[in-house]
Amino acid sequence: MMRNHLLPSRGMVYALCSVLALTVLSLLNLTVGAVDIPPGEVWNILTGRGAGRESWQFIIMETRLPQTLTAILVGAALACCGLLLQTAFRNPLAGPGIFGISNGASLGVAIMMLAMGGQASTKVFSVSGYTAILSAAFVGAFAVSAIILFFSTRVRNFVMLIIIGIMVGYLTSSAVTILNFSATEEGVRSYMVWGMGDFGGVTMEMMPIFASLIVVGLMGALLLVKPLNALLIGEDYAENLGVNVRRLRTLLISVTVILSSVSTAFCGPIAFIGLAVPHMARLLIGTENHRLLLPITLLLGSMTGLFCNLLCHTSPTSGIIPLNAVTPLVGAPVIIYVIVSRNRESY
């Protein structure tokens, strides 16, 4: 009882520390890069006072600021997806890619890049370039999501639904491999670059719609805190408390679909953040209570996104390290620790 009484105050301390760390990481993301910009100039640009050089204004407002905001939003979104799925399926290795949603987005992009040359035209509409790629990613992600939602209404067993998601992911991966085999060298190279992940794909013009979609998904997750806590004790107990488990499952998948498909469409498939961050939050606060766990997970997800983005731009050369080359360095040790710890507890 004493431990539960202390949880809110301890959670508040962790939340304040996380917000402070988030602020520091955001400032570092705005100041660190290939071009050295003094912190004072960054502050002047953000507050509308202008900059000493016009190029600095462009770099901050058109490159670093949207990347920072994207890293915050996508980090929180993927971490949220991981927590929801790990709770719903009681599987510590569940993540945003478990239902093949990222694979679906990858297939859509592969079809557009490798089979259609990056453009699609009909008598009604014509799209090309980045708009075509973004649209293809959305279509692919939501197509796979629709398949999973369809099976979720017919399969009550969470484990079987996971297996179906994995099989759908294998099917889409197979289709992508076939497309790569028959594509041009330039098309394969473009697809590989997209698949490496990048927080730089969202411009300030795209930010309002991008941020709105992510915020809607995160608000939906926060509204599910109470039934998620009931689900921790078991499905039968949750149903006795009045929770419609089937409906809850559909809502969880829907929220995951929104967050993961938007993130993947704009930034490419990003590994490990959704899988590792919920475990980092559990290790930090030592509780499964989602009233504390979910907000801390969102903050840690944003911090992880910012930290990985910062690492990508601190290369000793002038190049930018691919995002998916950095995220395993952060996430893999956490997963290994969790697996080893659970193995010790089983003895």
Side-chain angles (χ1 to χ4, degrees):
M1 295 296 293
M2 180 66 70
R3 186 169 181 265
N4 290 333
H5 177 71
L6 293 175
L7 278 176
S9 59
R10 185 172 65 174
M12 183 62 69
V13 171
Y14 284 133
L16 291 175
C17 292
S18 297
V19 170
L20 178 61
L22 186 67
T23 303
V24 172
L25 284 169
S26 298
L27 293 175
L28 288 174
N29 273 266
L30 292 171
T31 55
V32 175
V35 178
D36 292 328
I37 302 177
E41 293 291 342
V42 174
W43 177 254
N44 289 335
I45 293 170
L46 294 177
T47 54
R49 299 176 183 175
R53 299 180 185 177
E54 187 175 344
S55 59
W56 289 353
Q57 175 89 17
F58 179 83
I59 290 172
I60 295 297
M61 298 305 297
E62 300 299 328
T63 303
R64 294 185 185 177
L65 180 58
Q67 274 191 2
T68 300
L69 295 175
T70 302
I72 291 173
L73 291 169
V74 172
L78 295 178
C80 179
C81 290
L83 178 60
L84 295 182
L85 294 174
Q86 288 168 15
T87 301
F89 296 106
R90 297 193 176 190
N91 188 333
L93 299 181
I98 194 68
F99 291 128
I101 297 172
S102 297
N103 299 82
S106 299
L107 176 59
V109 172
I111 293 173
M112 184 59 64
M113 284 186 176
L114 306 178
M116 304 180 68
Q119 60 182 1
S121 299
T122 68
K123 293 182 179 180
V124 179
F125 67 90
S126 178
V127 290
S128 60
Y130 186 76
T131 302
I133 302 303
L134 187 61
S135 302
F138 268 117
V139 171
F142 277 105
V144 171
S145 302
I147 294 173
I148 299 302
L149 284 172
F150 170 77
F151 281 109
S152 71
T153 61
R154 286 162 169 74
V155 178
R156 291 187 58 87
N157 190 302
F158 281 136
V159 176
M160 297 305 297
L161 193 59
I162 288 179
I163 294 174
I164 291 173
I166 293 173
M167 293 302 103
V168 172
Y170 275 124
L171 289 173
T172 56
S173 296
S174 177
V176 169
T177 301
I178 293 172
L179 288 170
N180 272 302
F181 181 76
S182 58
T184 63
E185 182 178 349
E186 182 180 354
V188 172
R189 185 183 300 111
S190 299
Y191 178 76
M192 288 182 62
V193 170
W194 177 83
M196 291 178 182
D198 182 19
F199 288 136
V202 183
T203 64
M204 289 304 293
E205 289 75 18
M206 298 177 182
M207 188 58 66
I209 182 64
F210 171 76
S212 298
L213 291 171
I214 295 293
V215 170
V216 167
L218 294 179
M219 292 299 295
L222 291 171
L223 293 174
L224 297 175
V225 164
K226 186 175 180 179
L228 281 171
N229 279 339
L231 198 61
L232 289 173
I233 307 176
E235 290 186 19
D236 293 337
Y237 181 82
E239 289 180 348
N240 289 334
L241 291 178
V243 176
N244 188 326
V245 175
R246 180 183 289 270
R247 180 171 174 268
L248 175 60
R249 177 170 58 181
T250 302
L251 289 173
L252 289 172
I253 295 175
S254 299
V255 170
T256 303
V257 165
I258 293 172
L259 294 175
S260 58
S261 60
V262 171
S263 300
T264 303
F266 279 89
C267 304
I270 299 173
F272 277 101
I273 291 181
L275 183 61
V277 171
H279 292 296
M280 295 166 59
R282 292 187 185 96
L283 293 172
L284 179 64
I285 64 176
T287 180
E288 291 284 348
N289 184 350
H290 284 71
R291 293 184 185 277
L292 297 175
L293 183 59
L294 182 54
I296 296 297
T297 299
L298 298 184
L299 288 171
L300 285 179
S302 296
M303 291 165 55
T304 303
L306 288 171
F307 180 68
C308 291
N309 188 60
L310 187 63
L311 291 180
C312 290
H313 291 82
T314 53
S315 170
T317 64
S318 57
I320 299 176
I321 302 173
L323 184 59
N324 278 329
V326 172
T327 52
L329 299 178
V330 178
V334 175
I335 300 304
I336 293 172
Y337 175 80
V338 170
I339 293 174
V340 172
S341 298
R342 286 178 174 270
N343 186 58
R344 287 177 179 173
E345 291 174 1
S346 63
Y347 286 100

